[in-house]
Amino acid sequence: MSVQELFSDAELKSIQEIASRYEEPGSALMPLLHYVQQIRGYLGEDEMAFIADFLGITRVRAYEVATYYTLYYTKPRGRHTIQVCRNLSCTLAGAEGIVDFLKKELEIEVGGTTADGMFSLVEVECIGSCDKAPAIMIDGDHHGPVTPESLREILNTYRGKP
Ligand code: FES
């Protein structure tokens, strides 16, 4: 796929601008992956390959970084991604019940996306809200402690968001 098919002129300009902030080209990898995910919703193979070539690093390196961090998505996602923490504090506080509730409420399995493309559901390691266990994160927002009742309200607020 050509670069013109992947990115608009304005997007390419943004990519160059972000990369120019870093002395070491490789240091721009994560910010650029964030940018691409922000404009595409996820990191496609062609986009990751372009970013790697653009920075002069191996494509494997870009893929490794994109798949290591749970905040990067390498598959298409719903408009909002619900991350449920499954680490110790949250598990002890009932994270399994939260996952079960969300699976039933959204009619999807973990890793799935709702039929309307609104929500994707994933399980993740600690999101740094252990004091609010069981905790979840939707897009970049932390919520907790959550209950099935509070989750219904939380989901409704995201249903109204673009
Ligand atoms: S263990 Fe769940 S947020 Fe830390």
Side-chain angles (χ1 to χ4, degrees):
M1 193 177 277
S2 75
V3 65
Q4 287 80 15
E5 290 172 290
L6 283 177
F7 298 107
S8 70
D9 288 346
E11 289 166 348
L12 280 174
K13 210 171 160 189
S14 296
I15 288 170
Q16 285 163 343
E17 192 278 316
I18 292 167
S20 72
R21 296 178 203 158
Y22 299 87
E23 247 175 64
E24 276 295 312
S27 302
L29 176 59
M30 291 181 70
L32 285 177
L33 292 179
H34 273 297
Y35 172 70
V36 172
Q37 182 165 285
Q38 196 185 339
I39 59 173
R40 293 288 177 274
Y42 76 106
L43 299 166
E45 279 187 27
D46 289 335
E47 286 84 356
M48 281 191 279
F50 170 81
I51 294 298
D53 295 348
F54 176 75
L55 294 174
I57 62 173
T58 65
R59 293 178 174 190
V60 168
R61 177 74 188 135
Y63 186 77
E64 278 172 352
V65 170
T67 53
Y68 178 77
Y69 294 100
T70 55
L71 284 173
Y72 291 125
Y73 310 134
T74 54
K75 300 233 163 38
R77 293 282 170 121
R79 198 173 302 165
H80 304 290
T81 297
I82 305 167
Q83 298 185 320
V84 182
C85 171
R86 293 305 309 268
N87 260 136
L88 189 59
S89 300
C90 289
T91 297
L92 290 175
E96 192 174 343
I98 295 302
V99 171
D100 288 343
F101 169 80
L102 286 168
K103 282 163 56 175
K104 206 167 159 198
E105 179 76 10
L106 300 173
E107 298 178 351
I108 54 175
E109 292 299 315
V110 172
T113 297
T114 54
D116 61 0
M118 184 65 72
F119 294 107
S120 292
L121 176 64
V122 293
E123 292 179 333
V124 295
E125 299 300 322
C126 182
I127 54 174
S129 293
C130 319
D131 58 326
K132 299 186 182 77
I136 68 163
M137 192 153 76
I138 302 183
D139 303 334
D141 309 326
H142 291 253
H143 300 277
V146 290
T147 62
E149 294 71 36
S150 72
L151 272 173
R152 276 207 181 92
E153 276 182 42
I154 292 167
L155 293 178
N156 280 337
T157 64
Y158 283 89
R159 285 188 172 106
K161 285 187 179 182

